Amino acid sequence: MARDIHALISQMTLEEKASLCSGSDFWHTQPIERLGIPAVMFADGPHGLRKQGDGRDDHLGLNESIEAVCFPAACALASSFDPELAKKLGSTLGQECQAEGLGVLLGPAVNIKRSPLCGRNFEYLSEDPFLTGKIAAAYIDGVQSWDVGTSIKHFAANNQEYRRMNCSSEVDERTLREIYLPAFEEAVKASQPQTIMCSYNKINGVYSADNEWLLSKVLREEWGFEGYVVTDWGAVNNRVQGVRAGLDLEMPSSGGVNDAKIVAAIKNGTLDEALLDQTVERILKVVFSYVDHRHPEATFDRDADHEKAVEMETECAVLLENNGALPLKAGAKVAYIGGFALTPRYQGGGSSHINASKVISALQSAQVKRRNVIYTEGFPSDRDEIDPDAFCAAVDAAREAEAAVVFAGLPDIVEGESYDRVNMKLPACQDRLIAAIAAVQPNTIVVLHNGSPVECPWAEDVAAVLEMYLGGQGVGEACDRLLWGEANPCGRLAETFPLRVEDNPSFLNFPGDGKKVKYAEGVFIGYRYYDTKKMPVRWAFGHGLSYTQFEYRDLWLSSDKMDDEGTVQVNVVVSNTGPIDGKEVVQLYISDKTGCTSRPTKELKGFAKVALRSGETKTVTLEITARDLSWYNEDIDDWYAASGKYEVLVGHASDDIQLSGELQFTTNKIPPMIIDGSTTLSELMDNPKTAAALSQILRTTFGSAATENATSTESKDATEQATIFAMPLKTLANFAAMGEEQYQEMLNGLRSALHQGSINH
């Protein structure tokens, strides 16, 4: 049924309109019964329903919620490199929400993984904004296909838990635009999430909830966001300024306190009632989009969805190392060691914590399938503790078996919402036992359960490493399938595993002093930093092995030239040359060779997951646009790619490029230029509008022969050429003994050329 929202608003009192701007309680929007406006319920996500009620309300996962299905956390989901899988997860959650009467699911969480120490990294997707945006948009499409709203979060630059409620993220606009905002931008433009959740923190001194530049200029005016902005729970700073800035809904209820402030501001003339009407309209549109599109056919089949959780985690796990120990051979005597074999860690702590409907461990799965497995604890899953007897029993069991699988990982207490990790290490008892087992058993396999990278000092001494991440309640069954070859690993790392936490580019500035945190590394985070610096890492972004092999060949571009409006298709032939079926993730990176500005050596701009039977060959096609070549130029307040050469790189991982091609790009955008005494000759020569004019000035001043010799690209005297190009105009004037009148004439002539494209003498 069509709703006349404007007519509804016209019937409301000022107080009623203000009341809609905050929740009625912890989880519900405010109803107005006399006008037929119902309450709509929220629930935490992103990887399952944390639906609470009956006085059990909290936003930190402390109290129990309904029994639900826990799917792979975002750290695992992104490692699938599979938007279709993300959409399937979203659709499953959307149907569950409809069955449970939930109007908005709080997710996905897309904050970029700036440091491995962020306690909430398990809930975030990736260190790369392109991958994050594509996975998030697909997830949103899935949830909202069931007419349930999503709330993409936390907007923006919320990349740590330490003092997250009041710390200011000090970050320049280029870095915001290139790293921390693109996932939100992609989600808005591609999928229109019905709500966006603003973060607690300040951005350059202004709280997100008060930030008009963020919530109105960027989000609505530039990106075209149509839904409403809701606070993180308790994130309101100044409620009246929030309305001005574009903040719509405060959660949870303030008990009417902040509603009264809105009413008072309108009555005293400091807030325009038209802004309140816009806010109410945005809220009501989302409320009725759910209320008017209920799905009575929706069911929440926990057993069926559990099987989906197992299948999804099987696609997400990443095989990091394998020297032939995997897959395990049928009938082989294998020792399972470590508390996680029996009690897997499959989710993180905090607001995303799910009351799981069913959990079957890897050990239980092996026992059900009658595999030849013996178990010894070795170390507990919940603390860093060495029991000498358990330690020795584990080493003995490993020595006597044909292979040993050590189930390692981070205890619950190490990573969770509201606090950050203190280091990147596994508990010392685990590292010590893994090293001891590897010394007596050449077929030692380590299975990891963690939400963020860990240091692995034993990595070169073990035969295989399988990263399960926090894989949801199906993690044990998925692990069993992968270890024993019933499934072929196909996940890829969505984040870099550095050798040490000290190698991370944010190390010196994370988490700041509690008042401010400086994003001094700029755009150089994750693989953008490690690859550019040529720094060795444990495992690179995009890395992941398979039980089969893939071959790349015949890279070709639909055109070797492109302009601002064009697109180019990148084609590559990929073959499965191994003995079994598998899936490869083809990754496309762009490298800027123009030298226009400081940029990472390569950036992900395309990917595709392709299934290939043994011996099968397929052509994979990806598309690039001018935006994919661009960086954010603050001088023009826009994306900019300089004319020149770009390299197109295709391969298996950021450190495993198989093929490359060249693309010549031409732009009509000319960055603005201020010409004064500090402007260098190099800057003027690089600008086509001033290059000819400068050459003419130099010829007039120094003579044709000297000018041609100094500025020619074939000049034999590199020192002379470098000196000339680095020279600012004021120094040129001094060397040429220009008087003030002649100097000003030169500046004016160059400025005229810049604005008109020509110069007269």
Side-chain angles (χ1 to χ4, degrees):
M1 60 183 288
R3 299 277 184 168
D4 190 337
I5 302 295
H6 290 152
L8 270 179
I9 295 173
S10 69
Q11 298 174 58
M12 293 180 194
T13 66
L14 175 60
E15 288 74 14
E16 285 175 331
K17 286 189 283 190
S19 74
L20 287 176
C21 296
S22 66
S24 62
D25 56 25
F26 209 87
W27 293 116
H28 293 85
T29 60
Q30 176 68 41
I32 300 179
E33 294 180 4
R34 76 176 187 86
L35 296 175
I37 298 172
V40 169
M41 188 175 187
F42 296 89
D44 273 316
H47 52 267
L49 306 190
R50 194 176 76 89
K51 179 184 178 183
Q52 289 186 322
D54 302 326
R56 297 173 294 179
D57 302 339
D58 76 276
H59 68 292
L60 293 175
L62 302 176
N63 297 318
E64 194 164 289
S65 53
I66 66 164
E67 186 179 276
V69 177
C70 181
F71 292 92
C75 57
L77 177 64
S79 296
S80 72
F81 271 73
D82 190 344
E84 284 303 312
L85 183 71
K87 186 175 182 179
K88 180 180 178 181
L89 170 58
S91 178
T92 303
L93 291 170
Q95 181 173 193
E96 292 180 357
C97 285
Q98 277 284 356
E100 287 291 333
L102 298 169
V104 178
L105 184 66
L106 302 179
V110 301
N111 296 106
I112 295 299
K113 299 183 181 186
R114 178 177 176 239
S115 166
L117 300 183
C118 175
R120 209 170 179 180
N121 272 353
F122 65 87
E123 201 175 330
Y124 300 145
L125 288 162
S126 176
E127 69 185 29
D128 181 78
F130 183 89
L131 173 62
T132 301
K134 296 299 183 185
I135 298 294
Y139 173 101
I140 291 165
D141 284 342
V143 175
Q144 296 191 169
S145 69
W146 281 90
D147 297 302
V148 171
T150 54
S151 193
I152 190 170
K153 58 186 185 180
H154 307 86
F155 194 55
N158 177 185
N159 308 101
Q160 64 190 56
E161 293 301 285
Y162 176 67
R163 297 288 180 90
R164 63 173 174 158
M165 293 186 177
N166 63 338
C167 190
S168 178
S169 298
E170 301 292 304
V171 53
D172 63 84
E173 186 174 359
R174 179 187 170 189
T175 300
L176 274 173
R177 296 279 194 168
E178 291 187 32
I179 303 296
Y180 299 101
L181 296 185
F184 293 99
E185 180 182 3
E186 172 69 15
V188 167
K189 290 181 175 179
S191 303
Q192 275 294 344
Q194 289 194 354
T195 83
I196 286 182
M197 182 189 292
C198 73
S199 55
Y200 290 112
N201 55 286
K202 300 174 187 174
I203 301 169
N204 297 321
V206 180
Y207 279 104
S208 175
D210 294 346
N211 199 315
E212 187 172 356
W213 175 84
L214 184 71
L215 303 184
S216 290
K217 181 181 183 298
V218 174
L219 180 60
R220 291 195 168 95
E221 294 174 20
E222 294 184 21
W223 299 349
F225 176 59
E226 298 172 0
Y228 68 71
V229 175
V230 58
T231 64
D232 203 339
W233 265 230
V236 160
N237 177 55
N238 181 319
R239 191 64 188 96
V240 174
Q241 171 55 25
V243 175
R244 295 192 194 100
L247 172 67
D248 300 305
L249 180 63
E250 174 190 9
M251 288 299 293
S253 172
S254 68
V257 172
N258 283 334
D259 302 344
K261 292 178 181 178
I262 294 173
V263 171
I266 290 173
K267 287 183 175 179
N268 66 28
T270 57
L271 179 65
D272 187 347
E273 189 170 358
L275 292 177
L276 177 60
D277 289 348
Q278 288 178 3
T279 293
V280 172
E281 180 181 355
R282 290 191 287 252
I283 292 170
L284 289 180
K285 282 181 177 179
V286 174
V287 167
F288 286 117
S289 72
Y290 170 73
V291 171
D292 293 342
H293 298 91
R294 294 305 311 275
H295 288 257
E297 79 280 11
T299 60
F300 189 171
D301 187 332
R302 287 162 174 78
D303 288 337
D305 289 355
H306 172 83
E307 292 305 316
K308 293 179 183 178
V310 176
E311 293 167 6
M312 290 176 188
E313 171 61 359
T314 305
E315 294 280 317
C316 297
V318 185
L319 182 60
L320 298 174
E321 296 285 349
N322 188 23
N323 297 328
L326 291 178
L328 295 167
K329 296 178 176 59
K333 181 181 179 181
V334 179
Y336 276 20
I337 299 166
F340 291 110
L342 181 60
T343 310
R345 179 163 179 255
Y346 58 91
Q347 65 176 323
S351 59
S352 67
H353 192 87
I354 305 302
N355 179 15
S357 62
K358 181 194 304 183
V359 182
I360 299 174
S361 70
L363 178 61
Q364 290 168 324
S365 296
Q367 291 168 339
V368 168
K369 295 178 180 179
R370 300 186 182 280
R371 306 196 192 280
N372 189 9
V373 167
I374 58 172
Y375 170 69
T376 180
E377 185 181 68
F379 52 77
S381 61
D382 60 351
R383 59 193 183 280
D384 187 358
E385 180 179 287
I386 293 178
D387 180 315
D389 293 336
F391 186 97
C392 293
V395 174
D396 290 343
R399 183 188 292 111
E400 295 169 4
E402 295 175 63
V405 183
V406 183
F407 292 79
L410 295 174
D412 279 330
I413 194 63
V414 171
E415 53 186 350
E417 184 175 351
S418 299
Y419 56 90
D420 294 316
R421 294 164 65 187
V422 297
N423 59 49
M424 212 179 82
K425 300 178 184 295
L426 287 171
C429 66
Q430 297 185 25
D431 282 337
R432 180 177 169 186
L433 184 56
I434 292 169
I437 290 172
V440 302
Q441 175 51 261
N443 292 321
T444 296
I445 298 140
V446 177
V447 174
L448 291 172
H449 300 75
N450 48 295
S452 195
V454 292
E455 294 177 19
C456 302
W458 34 259
E460 296 173 6
D461 301 322
V462 300
V465 182
L466 179 61
E467 174 62 86
M468 299 304 297
Y469 275 115
L470 302 185
Q473 66 185 59
V475 67
E477 293 158 277
C479 184
D480 179 86
R481 294 179 185 181
L482 295 165
L483 287 175
W484 294 90
E486 293 179 0
N488 191 352
C490 60
R492 303 291 183 265
L493 286 182
E495 60 190 331
T496 307
F497 273 53
L499 291 169
R500 311 173 307 151
V501 69
E502 291 85 357
D503 294 339
N504 182 263
S506 70
F507 179 73
L508 293 178
N509 294 287
F510 182 94
D513 62 7
K515 296 180 180 179
K516 295 181 179 181
V517 52
K518 297 179 180 178
Y519 287 53
E521 68 280 2
V523 299
F524 292 92
I525 74 158
Y527 73 90
R528 286 168 165 77
Y529 171 78
Y530 300 116
D531 287 358
T532 303
K533 196 174 180 181
K534 296 182 172 61
M535 176 179 284
V537 297
R538 179 63 70 192
W539 295 294
F541 175 87
H543 169 74
L545 304 178
S546 171
Y547 294 152
T548 191
Q549 296 82 44
F550 301 98
E551 179 184 274
Y552 289 67
R553 68 175 189 275
D554 300 336
L555 173 71
W556 77 97
L557 309 183
S558 61
S559 174
D560 61 1
K561 296 180 175 63
M562 188 169 75
D563 60 22
D564 292 317
E565 303 302 321
T567 60
V568 168
Q569 282 70 48
V570 180
N571 307 279
V572 62
V573 175
V574 183
S575 301
N576 181 346
T577 60
I580 63 173
D581 300 349
K583 294 180 180 180
E584 172 66 334
V585 177
V586 178
Q587 300 166 43
L588 184 155
Y589 297 83
I590 296 294
S591 181
D592 184 348
K593 299 300 182 183
T594 67
C596 177
T597 193
S598 177
R599 298 188 69 179
T601 189
K602 68 172 78 75
E603 296 177 281
L604 182 75
K605 296 301 176 182
F607 62 91
K609 195 167 194 175
V610 55
L612 293 164
R613 296 187 301 273
S614 176
E616 186 179 12
T617 295
K618 289 183 180 179
T619 297
V620 177
T621 300
L622 298 166
E623 185 175 86
I624 53 177
T625 67
R627 171 68 181 264
D628 295 321
L629 309 183
S630 301
W631 55 283
Y632 194 82
N633 188 327
E634 294 184 51
D635 290 336
I636 62 173
D637 294 323
D638 198 4
W639 293 92
Y640 175 73
S643 295
K645 185 173 76 173
Y646 293 79
E647 196 169 15
V648 179
L649 310 170
V650 174
H652 176 81
S654 65
D655 68 342
D656 187 4
I657 300 301
Q658 299 285 313
L659 301 168
S660 65
E662 287 187 4
L663 179 66
Q664 287 292 326
F665 180 75
T666 303
T667 183
N668 292 319
K669 294 180 181 179
I670 305 296
M673 191 178 194
I674 297 175
I675 297 177
D676 57 22
S678 64
T679 306
T680 66
L681 304 195
S682 176
E683 291 174 286
L684 294 164
M685 291 300 292
D686 285 343
N687 191 312
K689 288 189 175 183
T690 56
L694 177 65
S695 294
Q696 188 172 341
I697 290 171
L698 292 175
R699 282 194 295 271
T700 302
T701 305
F702 295 106
S704 298
T707 300
E708 293 300 324
N709 182 59
T711 60
S712 171
T713 57
E714 299 178 357
S715 174
K716 295 181 181 180
D717 192 337
T719 301
E720 179 184 8
Q721 189 176 31
T723 301
I724 289 290
F725 278 118
M727 189 182 299
L729 287 173
K730 61 183 179 62
T731 304
L732 173 68
N734 289 335
F735 283 166
M738 291 184 184
E740 182 62 27
E741 183 176 343
Q742 186 181 6
Y743 174 54
Q744 290 301 324
E745 182 180 345
M746 176 181 70
L747 292 178
N748 291 335
L750 289 168
R751 290 165 182 159
S752 177
L754 179 65
H755 294 296
Q756 300 177 18
S758 63
I759 186 168
N760 297 316
H761 287 276

